[in-house]
Amino acid sequence: MITIKGLSKVFQSRDHQVKAVDNLDLTIEKGEIFGVIGYSGAGKSTFIRLLNRLEEPSGGQVTIENQEITGLSKKALRLTRQEIGMIFQHFHLLWSRTVKDNIAFPLEIAGMPKEERHARVQELIELVGLSGRENAYPSQLSGGQKQRVGIARALANNPKVLLCDEATSALDPETTDSILDLLVDINKKLGLTIILITHEMHVIRKICHRVAVMEDGKVVEQGDVLDVFLHPEKPVTRKFVDQVMGDTEQAHSLELIHQNYASGKILKLHFVGENTNQALITELARNFTVDINILHGKITQTQKGAYGTLIVHVTGDSEETDRAIAYIKETSVEVEVNPNA
């Protein structure tokens, strides 16, 4: 478990102070993939660098498995950092070294014997899917392959925690998905705790169990990813959810329907988990004398299950429409009735 209490970082310029991280509290469970999302300037990259003291905190505590990182001497910190792997947006590889030599570098620093080092490197090359590329140099690799080298190198000393600072931001969408799949595989195989910093909700949606949303150095919202998708509370969180669920298109559909139809009601339905397979619209059409026009819909997958939204326009006798809405509310599908309809 990772416990963060009152963590702060203040940068002092000649004229003023900047609070990059402001009295932040978080608890991250052992073995989970925890996402931290925020726009540029939110403080998320500073936050992750405070966890292994690449940045020295101005205040607060970071405790990883009962060891307080913020209280360690420099000598003790060097040893502890072997248990905290880190991967970066721009890879940070040694360009004069081959793939296997890049991966071996932290093992050399740790003083591992050559034979053991070679065996460990081969194990890691297979784990990250780089077999056959052992002798290639970084300049001969694609972006995804470079990041796989970075991941293997970060795992070399069998860390307890893997920190990922915008690890997929420099990659194309297809390569991003392959790297995210690799991180999920590593999490399951090794039971590794992964803390992932990003500004892309797609990344959070695809692999994270829980998420914290940062704004102006503070955590403004946190929870299970699926819960955050279902009930975003803060404006910044709703913007991130919109990245994945396409609420811009939904809003446009609602605007058009209001312009063209004076009667009926607009319903926004939320389907979770197995409910995404429910034939609700068919049941409504069979059981109630209403007409249903589907305006917009989307289903996306999270680590905790599927989440879908569907916007429909329902017309018919007012009493019958109300009965249909009441029927929906009796199911586990959430329904919002548009107040302007």
Side-chain angles (χ1 to χ4, degrees):
M1 178 185 288
I2 299 171
T3 305
I4 300 158
K5 294 182 178 180
L7 190 63
S8 299
K9 178 63 179 181
V10 178
F11 291 102
Q12 181 71 53
S13 70
R14 182 174 295 180
D15 300 325
H16 64 285
Q17 291 183 339
V18 176
K19 287 186 177 180
V21 176
D22 189 2
N23 199 33
L24 190 148
D25 295 332
L26 275 180
T27 299
I28 299 168
E29 299 297 330
K30 184 175 181 179
E32 77 172 330
I33 304 177
F34 191 93
V36 179
I37 191 167
Y39 288 111
S40 179
K44 58 189 186 299
S45 288
T46 300
F47 160 72
I48 202 169
R49 291 169 64 87
L50 291 171
L51 298 185
N52 59 1
R53 283 176 55 188
L54 287 178
E55 288 283 357
E56 287 292 338
S58 303
Q61 295 179 335
V62 176
T63 304
I64 300 177
E65 294 194 2
N66 299 318
Q67 184 171 52
E68 188 188 334
I69 304 300
T70 40
L72 294 176
S73 66
K74 289 185 177 180
K75 182 178 179 180
L77 179 61
R78 282 194 295 270
L79 293 174
T80 299
R81 277 183 179 152
Q82 294 180 11
E83 299 181 343
I84 308 172
M86 190 166 187
I87 57 176
F88 305 88
Q89 178 180 355
H90 296 297
F91 320 124
H92 291 189
L93 301 181
L94 300 170
W95 295 91
S96 61
R97 282 178 168 244
T98 62
V99 166
K100 64 182 181 182
D101 289 337
N102 263 282
I103 298 170
F105 186 62
L107 300 174
E108 293 172 16
I109 294 173
M112 180 179 285
K114 187 175 181 179
E115 195 169 307
E116 290 180 36
R117 192 165 69 231
H118 177 75
R120 177 62 176 156
V121 168
Q122 286 304 122
E123 179 185 342
L124 290 164
I125 284 172
E126 291 175 15
L127 177 67
V128 301
L130 285 174
S131 297
R133 302 296 285 162
E134 296 93 331
N135 297 312
Y137 288 89
S139 61
Q140 299 170 312
L141 302 176
S142 67
Q145 289 171 333
K146 290 173 188 172
Q147 195 55 282
R148 287 172 186 269
V149 177
I151 293 170
R153 182 183 58 187
L155 297 176
N157 283 310
N158 291 303
K160 297 175 182 176
V161 179
L162 180 63
L163 308 179
C164 306
D165 187 7
E166 297 279 12
T168 60
S169 295
L171 306 175
D172 63 75
E174 185 175 349
T175 306
T176 290
D177 283 345
S178 72
I179 294 298
L180 295 178
D181 288 340
L182 175 60
L183 290 174
V184 171
D185 187 51
I186 288 168
N187 170 257
K188 290 177 178 177
K189 285 181 178 177
L190 305 181
L192 192 67
T193 304
I194 298 177
I195 303 174
L196 190 148
I197 300 296
T198 185
H199 63 275
E200 299 172 302
M201 199 61 177
H202 163 73
V203 172
I204 300 293
R205 187 271 303 170
K206 187 173 175 66
I207 73 167
C208 294
H209 302 113
R210 290 194 299 136
V211 60
V213 182
M214 285 192 70
E215 188 175 31
D216 296 327
K218 297 178 180 290
V219 170
V220 296
E221 191 166 349
Q222 63 175 299
D224 288 345
V225 169
L226 190 54
D227 290 340
V228 170
F229 264 82
L230 279 169
H231 304 292
E233 296 177 359
K234 302 295 183 180
V236 65
T237 310
R238 288 194 287 271
K239 286 182 181 179
F240 281 122
V241 173
D242 289 353
Q243 287 182 3
V244 177
M245 295 310 297
D247 275 358
T248 301
E249 295 176 36
Q250 291 179 8
H252 183 59
S253 296
L254 289 171
E255 184 180 337
L256 289 176
I257 206 71
H258 280 306
Q259 290 174 1
N260 292 291
Y261 296 90
S263 62
K265 293 185 177 180
I266 297 172
L267 310 181
K268 185 175 183 181
L269 310 177
H270 298 274
F271 299 81
V272 184
E274 293 181 0
N275 293 327
T276 53
N277 298 319
Q278 186 173 338
L280 180 63
I281 302 303
T282 301
E283 293 173 15
L284 291 174
R286 284 175 179 169
N287 296 321
F288 302 95
T289 309
V290 293
D291 292 322
I292 303 170
N293 181 27
I294 296 174
L295 306 179
H296 180 84
K298 189 167 185 179
I299 295 175
T300 192
Q301 192 71 33
T302 75
Q303 284 290 308
K304 292 290 184 71
Y307 162 56
T309 59
L310 185 66
I311 295 179
V312 297
H313 178 229
V314 180
T315 56
D317 177 78
S318 178
E319 186 175 328
E320 188 74 353
T321 300
D322 289 341
R323 287 181 59 233
I325 294 172
Y327 174 81
I328 297 171
K329 290 179 178 179
E330 289 175 1
T331 72
S332 50
V333 175
E334 292 187 26
V335 58
E336 297 176 33
V337 182
N338 191 282
N340 297 322

